PDB file of all heavy atoms in Angstrom:
ATOM      1  N   PRO A  47      16.162  95.643  16.363  1.00 92.00           N
ATOM      2  CA  PRO A  47      15.208  96.619  15.819  1.00 92.00           C
ATOM      3  C   PRO A  47      15.390  97.990  16.467  1.00 92.00           C
ATOM      4  O   PRO A  47      15.639  98.088  17.675  1.00 92.00           O
ATOM      5  CB  PRO A  47      13.845  96.028  16.180  1.00 92.00           C
ATOM      6  CG  PRO A  47      14.107  94.563  16.346  1.00 92.00           C
ATOM      7  CD  PRO A  47      15.492  94.475  16.923  1.00 92.00           C
ATOM      8  N   VAL A  48      15.292  99.027  15.652  1.00 92.00           N
ATOM      9  CA  VAL A  48      15.456 100.394  16.153  1.00 92.00           C
ATOM     10  C   VAL A  48      14.325 101.279  15.636  1.00 92.00           C
ATOM     11  O   VAL A  48      13.709 100.991  14.624  1.00 92.00           O
ATOM     12  CB  VAL A  48      16.823 100.999  15.741  1.00 92.00           C
ATOM     13  CG1 VAL A  48      17.963 100.307  16.444  1.00 92.00           C
ATOM     14  CG2 VAL A  48      17.021 100.936  14.240  1.00 92.00           C
ATOM     15  N   THR A  49      14.083 102.359  16.353  1.00 92.00           N
ATOM     16  CA  THR A  49      13.060 103.322  15.959  1.00 92.00           C
ATOM     17  C   THR A  49      13.671 104.357  15.015  1.00 92.00           C
ATOM     18  O   THR A  49      14.896 104.487  14.924  1.00 92.00           O
ATOM     19  CB  THR A  49      12.485 104.048  17.182  1.00 92.00           C
ATOM     20  OG1 THR A  49      13.535 104.829  17.778  1.00 92.00           O
ATOM     21  CG2 THR A  49      11.913 103.069  18.212  1.00 92.00           C
ATOM     22  N   ILE A  50      12.814 105.106  14.349  1.00 89.00           N
ATOM     23  CA  ILE A  50      13.290 106.176  13.465  1.00 89.00           C
ATOM     24  C   ILE A  50      14.143 107.177  14.245  1.00 89.00           C
ATOM     25  O   ILE A  50      15.241 107.535  13.785  1.00 89.00           O
ATOM     26  CB  ILE A  50      12.113 106.876  12.750  1.00 89.00           C
ATOM     27  CG1 ILE A  50      11.350 105.895  11.852  1.00 89.00           C
ATOM     28  CG2 ILE A  50      12.593 108.087  11.957  1.00 89.00           C
ATOM     29  CD1 ILE A  50      12.134 105.331  10.697  1.00 89.00           C
ATOM     30  N   PRO A  51      13.705 107.666  15.424  1.00 89.00           N
ATOM     31  CA  PRO A  51      14.571 108.594  16.169  1.00 89.00           C
ATOM     32  C   PRO A  51      15.936 107.990  16.511  1.00 89.00           C
ATOM     33  O   PRO A  51      16.946 108.695  16.485  1.00 89.00           O
ATOM     34  CB  PRO A  51      13.765 108.890  17.436  1.00 89.00           C
ATOM     35  CG  PRO A  51      12.345 108.689  17.031  1.00 89.00           C
ATOM     36  CD  PRO A  51      12.388 107.532  16.059  1.00 89.00           C
ATOM     37  N   GLU A  52      15.987 106.694  16.817  1.00 89.00           N
ATOM     38  CA  GLU A  52      17.274 106.054  17.097  1.00 89.00           C
ATOM     39  C   GLU A  52      18.146 106.022  15.848  1.00 89.00           C
ATOM     40  O   GLU A  52      19.355 106.249  15.934  1.00 89.00           O
ATOM     41  CB  GLU A  52      17.059 104.636  17.627  1.00 89.00           C
ATOM     42  CG  GLU A  52      16.478 104.586  19.011  1.00 89.00           C
ATOM     43  CD  GLU A  52      16.077 103.183  19.446  1.00 89.00           C
ATOM     44  OE1 GLU A  52      15.653 102.377  18.586  1.00 89.00           O
ATOM     45  OE2 GLU A  52      16.191 102.907  20.651  1.00 89.00           O
ATOM     46  N   ILE A  53      17.535 105.755  14.702  1.00 87.00           N
ATOM     47  CA  ILE A  53      18.283 105.750  13.441  1.00 87.00           C
ATOM     48  C   ILE A  53      18.853 107.138  13.177  1.00 87.00           C
ATOM     49  O   ILE A  53      20.029 107.291  12.859  1.00 87.00           O
ATOM     50  CB  ILE A  53      17.392 105.309  12.266  1.00 87.00           C
ATOM     51  CG1 ILE A  53      17.031 103.834  12.400  1.00 87.00           C
ATOM     52  CG2 ILE A  53      18.093 105.573  10.925  1.00 87.00           C
ATOM     53  CD1 ILE A  53      15.968 103.366  11.433  1.00 87.00           C
ATOM     54  N   LEU A  54      18.022 108.156  13.338  1.00 85.00           N
ATOM     55  CA  LEU A  54      18.476 109.520  13.056  1.00 85.00           C
ATOM     56  C   LEU A  54      19.578 109.963  14.005  1.00 85.00           C
ATOM     57  O   LEU A  54      20.490 110.679  13.602  1.00 85.00           O
ATOM     58  CB  LEU A  54      17.293 110.487  13.117  1.00 85.00           C
ATOM     59  CG  LEU A  54      16.270 110.319  11.995  1.00 85.00           C
ATOM     60  CD1 LEU A  54      15.085 111.247  12.224  1.00 85.00           C
ATOM     61  CD2 LEU A  54      16.901 110.562  10.640  1.00 85.00           C
ATOM     62  N   SER A  55      19.519 109.538  15.260  1.00 85.00           N
ATOM     63  CA  SER A  55      20.563 109.945  16.201  1.00 85.00           C
ATOM     64  C   SER A  55      21.865 109.185  15.957  1.00 85.00           C
ATOM     65  O   SER A  55      22.929 109.678  16.290  1.00 85.00           O
ATOM     66  CB  SER A  55      20.098 109.747  17.645  1.00 85.00           C
ATOM     67  OG  SER A  55      19.988 108.367  17.954  1.00 85.00           O
ATOM     68  N   SER A  56      21.777 108.001  15.358  1.00 80.00           N
ATOM     69  CA  SER A  56      22.964 107.191  15.104  1.00 80.00           C
ATOM     70  C   SER A  56      23.592 107.452  13.749  1.00 80.00           C
ATOM     71  O   SER A  56      24.793 107.293  13.584  1.00 80.00           O
ATOM     72  CB  SER A  56      22.616 105.705  15.196  1.00 80.00           C
ATOM     73  OG  SER A  56      22.188 105.384  16.481  1.00 80.00           O
ATOM     74  N   ALA A  57      22.783 107.802  12.761  1.00 70.00           N
ATOM     75  CA  ALA A  57      23.269 107.963  11.386  1.00 70.00           C
ATOM     76  C   ALA A  57      23.792 109.370  11.175  1.00 70.00           C
ATOM     77  O   ALA A  57      23.056 110.265  10.796  1.00 70.00           O
ATOM     78  CB  ALA A  57      22.155 107.647  10.396  1.00 70.00           C
ATOM     79  N   LEU A  58      25.073 109.553  11.425  1.00 63.00           N
ATOM     80  CA  LEU A  58      25.687 110.860  11.232  1.00 63.00           C
ATOM     81  C   LEU A  58      25.611 111.251   9.777  1.00 63.00           C
ATOM     82  O   LEU A  58      25.880 110.446   8.894  1.00 63.00           O
ATOM     83  CB  LEU A  58      27.133 110.842  11.699  1.00 63.00           C
ATOM     84  CG  LEU A  58      27.346 110.532  13.174  1.00 63.00           C
ATOM     85  CD1 LEU A  58      28.838 110.466  13.476  1.00 63.00           C
ATOM     86  CD2 LEU A  58      26.669 111.569  14.035  1.00 63.00           C
ATOM     87  N   GLY A  59      25.217 112.463   9.514  1.00 62.00           N
ATOM     88  CA  GLY A  59      25.126 112.945   8.150  1.00 62.00           C
ATOM     89  C   GLY A  59      23.821 112.608   7.468  1.00 62.00           C
ATOM     90  O   GLY A  59      23.623 112.953   6.319  1.00 62.00           O
ATOM     91  N   CYS A  60      22.939 111.934   8.180  1.00 61.00           N
ATOM     92  CA  CYS A  60      21.651 111.579   7.602  1.00 61.00           C
ATOM     93  C   CYS A  60      20.763 112.820   7.620  1.00 61.00           C
ATOM     94  O   CYS A  60      20.555 113.429   8.665  1.00 61.00           O
ATOM     95  CB  CYS A  60      21.011 110.465   8.417  1.00 61.00           C
ATOM     96  SG  CYS A  60      19.557 109.757   7.661  1.00 61.00           S
ATOM     97  N   PRO A  61      20.240 113.215   6.450  1.00 63.00           N
ATOM     98  CA  PRO A  61      19.416 114.428   6.420  1.00 63.00           C
ATOM     99  C   PRO A  61      18.118 114.234   7.196  1.00 63.00           C
ATOM    100  O   PRO A  61      17.566 113.147   7.245  1.00 63.00           O
ATOM    101  CB  PRO A  61      19.139 114.632   4.934  1.00 63.00           C
ATOM    102  CG  PRO A  61      19.322 113.312   4.327  1.00 63.00           C
ATOM    103  CD  PRO A  61      20.344 112.573   5.167  1.00 63.00           C
ATOM    104  N   ARG A  62      17.685 115.308   7.812  1.00 63.00           N
ATOM    105  CA  ARG A  62      16.450 115.269   8.573  1.00 63.00           C
ATOM    106  C   ARG A  62      15.463 116.232   7.928  1.00 63.00           C
ATOM    107  O   ARG A  62      15.775 117.402   7.739  1.00 63.00           O
ATOM    108  CB  ARG A  62      16.703 115.669  10.014  1.00 63.00           C
ATOM    109  CG  ARG A  62      17.478 114.599  10.771  1.00 63.00           C
ATOM    110  CD  ARG A  62      18.226 115.213  11.950  1.00 63.00           C
ATOM    111  NE  ARG A  62      18.867 114.237  12.781  1.00 63.00           N
ATOM    112  CZ  ARG A  62      20.025 113.644  12.503  1.00 63.00           C
ATOM    113  NH1 ARG A  62      20.648 113.931  11.393  1.00 63.00           N
ATOM    114  NH2 ARG A  62      20.542 112.766  13.325  1.00 63.00           N
ATOM    115  N   ALA A  63      14.296 115.713   7.596  1.00 62.00           N
ATOM    116  CA  ALA A  63      13.272 116.563   6.992  1.00 62.00           C
ATOM    117  C   ALA A  63      12.561 117.352   8.085  1.00 62.00           C
ATOM    118  O   ALA A  63      12.457 116.908   9.225  1.00 62.00           O
ATOM    119  CB  ALA A  63      12.263 115.695   6.240  1.00 62.00           C
TER     120      ALA A  63
END
Side-chain angles (χ1 to χ4, degrees):
V48 292
T49 65
I50 298 296
E52 290 171 327
I53 291 170
L54 291 175
S55 69
S56 297
L58 299 177
C60 189
R62 289 156 174 79

